[in-house]
Amino acid sequence: MLDKLKFVEEKYIELCDRVERPDFYDDPKKAAAYLKEQKELEPVVNAYRAYLRAKQDMNDALELMSAEPEMKEFCQEEYAASKKRSEELEQELKILLLPHDPNDDKSVIMEIRGGVGGEESALFAHSLFRMYNLYAASKGWSVELLNYNETELGGIKEADFEIRGSGAWSRLKFESGVHRVQRVPETESGGRVHTSTATVAVLPEMEEADVNIRPEDIEMQVYRSSGAGGQHINKTSSAVRLIHKPTGIVVSCQEERSQFQNREKCMLMLSSKLYQMEQERIESAYSGERRSQVGSGMRNEKIRTYNFPQSRVTDHRIGLTLYKIDSIMNGDLDEIIDALISADQAEKLRESGENT
């Protein structure tokens, strides 16, 4: 590990020197790539240098203990503190050196669908949509609606939306799967607790350039939007549906005013879906590999239960239970997401140890 860290530090120093050159910005595209790489290496280098300082402090404490016996107690405390610090930094460095998800900085496209449970599942889907909107707002991210189909009681049959912001994928990628709710529905007069589900899919936002899409593989349909929009929506077929014929993937967008804008959004959604399909194909090719305990993010996996009578939220992948459902439904998701990220890192560290 130390050899690898030394190489990373040398690469970082080289990048810093390059940035200082007068001609650095002559090629803006290359400059942006170098700055991005420098930013990614910086936390690794800082932790590595802190680790070396902690190791040096340990050696200094041992030397001083030998030279000045009367300072033994003080030196022992310094040695113990430096040793603890070096062990913490070593663990941090192991995590920092894990393979980096290239999509972590990307924005995301989220899809929420009502599942089992009729109208109550649609109402729960709306609760999830609101929860993710509030979480995005707490992070300073923007939300843009792509497709929204609601029920008469205000539930959601389906909602597709972008969450734009650096690092959105790194925080939200484990939200894909089946979300289950246990509560007394608004439509229930007898006060009985019902169980319903909604599905969530999270895709890293991809540009058309990231995925090879042939124009002849796309069938485009236009229709009138079913959402709000007044007379304009009623008179024009501005909503767009794209069908990718080789895969059968269908995407729709009706939230923009113009057909052209809706088609652009559809292409964005299609690119992300095709990318995700290819990633799943590659992952399934390694069928012998042990899956991470946080799951594969497939829609048929029940990942979380929201029990309103007990004010309980349980994430089944990592066995985490929190008794603060109101704050979670109001967008306070960081404790769950941090635990999922830690579990994923722990699993990768374990697999890394087995492979060495």
Side-chain angles (χ1 to χ4, degrees):
M1 184 179 80
L2 292 178
D3 288 341
K4 187 173 183 179
L5 287 165
K6 183 64 179 171
F7 173 79
V8 169
E9 184 184 38
E10 289 170 356
K11 179 68 175 174
Y12 177 75
I13 292 170
E14 179 189 327
L15 286 167
C16 290
D17 290 342
R18 192 185 295 267
V19 169
E20 296 298 321
R21 294 176 189 171
D23 61 348
F24 178 71
Y25 289 100
D26 287 356
D27 187 335
K29 193 172 180 180
K30 276 188 177 179
Y34 288 140
L35 288 170
K36 184 174 182 288
E37 187 177 7
Q38 182 192 40
K39 184 181 176 183
E40 289 172 353
L41 295 181
E42 189 169 10
V44 182
V45 172
N46 288 340
Y48 172 55
R49 289 171 176 174
Y51 173 78
L52 293 179
R53 285 196 298 272
K55 284 291 190 181
Q56 185 59 51
D57 290 343
M58 287 171 61
N59 291 332
D60 291 345
L62 287 174
E63 289 179 9
L64 188 58
M65 200 185 306
S66 301
E68 306 285 347
E70 66 275 11
M71 297 184 68
K72 182 179 180 181
E73 187 176 342
F74 169 78
C75 291
Q76 284 176 334
E77 290 176 2
E78 284 293 304
Y79 178 84
S82 299
K83 185 174 185 291
K84 183 172 182 290
R85 176 69 175 145
S86 72
E87 289 169 352
E88 290 170 350
L89 286 163
E90 184 176 358
Q91 186 67 13
E92 182 182 336
L93 284 164
K94 285 179 181 177
I95 291 170
L96 287 169
L97 288 174
L98 287 172
H100 177 67
D101 185 337
N103 297 318
D104 271 351
D105 290 335
K106 288 185 180 290
S107 300
V108 301
I109 292 174
M110 294 192 76
E111 302 175 339
I112 299 177
R113 303 284 185 269
V116 177
E119 185 62 40
E120 170 60 11
S121 73
L123 291 168
F124 177 51
H126 181 272
S127 297
L128 292 175
F129 176 68
R130 176 181 177 273
M131 178 181 78
Y132 290 123
N133 269 269
L134 291 171
Y135 182 67
S138 74
K139 294 296 179 186
W141 300 333
S142 63
V143 178
E144 185 174 347
L145 205 55
L146 301 171
N147 187 44
Y148 193 86
N149 190 349
E150 63 183 358
T151 65
E152 290 182 4
L153 295 181
I156 290 176
K157 290 180 183 176
E158 56 184 19
D160 304 323
F161 52 102
E162 292 175 84
I163 296 184
R164 287 190 168 275
S166 179
W169 172 254
S170 70
R171 303 293 296 170
L172 293 169
K173 61 185 173 182
F174 298 122
E175 293 300 297
S176 290
V178 175
H179 294 241
R180 181 175 69 172
V181 64
Q182 294 171 327
R183 65 183 177 185
V184 179
E186 296 174 21
T187 54
E188 169 62 51
S189 57
R192 292 175 300 170
V193 174
H194 285 228
T195 297
S196 304
T197 64
T199 62
V200 175
V202 187
L203 311 170
E205 188 177 76
M206 291 295 179
E207 301 295 334
E208 285 183 59
D210 298 322
V211 182
N212 182 29
I213 302 176
R214 300 188 307 168
E216 60 267 29
D217 288 340
I218 297 172
E219 178 186 335
M220 176 174 160
Q221 300 174 351
V222 296
Y223 59 99
R224 291 183 182 178
S225 171
S226 60
Q231 293 181 348
H232 173 84
I233 294 293
N234 294 331
K235 290 181 179 179
T236 63
S237 297
S238 60
V240 171
R241 181 184 296 115
L242 295 184
I243 302 168
H244 188 250
K245 289 182 280 190
T247 61
I249 291 174
V250 180
V251 292
S252 305
C253 185
Q254 59 177 353
E255 298 303 317
E256 299 292 344
R257 285 280 184 176
S258 77
Q259 192 180 107
F260 175 77
Q261 288 173 313
N262 280 324
R263 188 185 186 281
E264 274 197 329
K265 296 295 184 184
C266 277
M267 288 300 294
L268 192 69
M269 295 167 69
L270 181 58
S271 298
S272 294
K273 281 178 174 286
L274 289 171
Y275 172 83
Q276 190 76 353
M277 180 179 282
E278 177 62 13
Q279 292 303 109
E280 288 171 5
R281 186 193 67 77
I282 293 169
E283 192 175 300
S284 66
Y286 297 98
S287 55
E289 255 185 38
R290 188 181 292 104
R291 281 189 174 184
S292 168
Q293 63 179 313
V294 297
S296 63
M298 300 300 289
R299 289 200 199 192
N300 61 354
E301 293 184 2
K302 183 184 73 180
I303 64 167
R304 195 174 297 150
T305 294
Y306 305 75
N307 186 297
F308 279 79
Q310 298 176 14
S311 189
R312 168 173 59 83
V313 176
T314 298
D315 195 289
H316 304 289
R317 296 164 293 181
I318 55 175
L320 174 68
T321 295
L322 301 173
Y323 290 89
K324 54 175 192 176
I325 197 167
D326 289 340
S327 64
I328 288 170
M329 297 310 294
N330 283 323
D332 183 12
L333 290 171
D334 274 336
E335 189 170 354
I336 295 176
I337 289 172
D338 287 341
L340 287 165
I341 291 172
S342 295
D344 183 56
Q345 290 172 341
E347 179 70 7
K348 287 176 179 174
L349 281 171
R350 186 175 66 79
E351 290 179 353
S352 172
E354 288 177 358
N355 294 330
T356 54

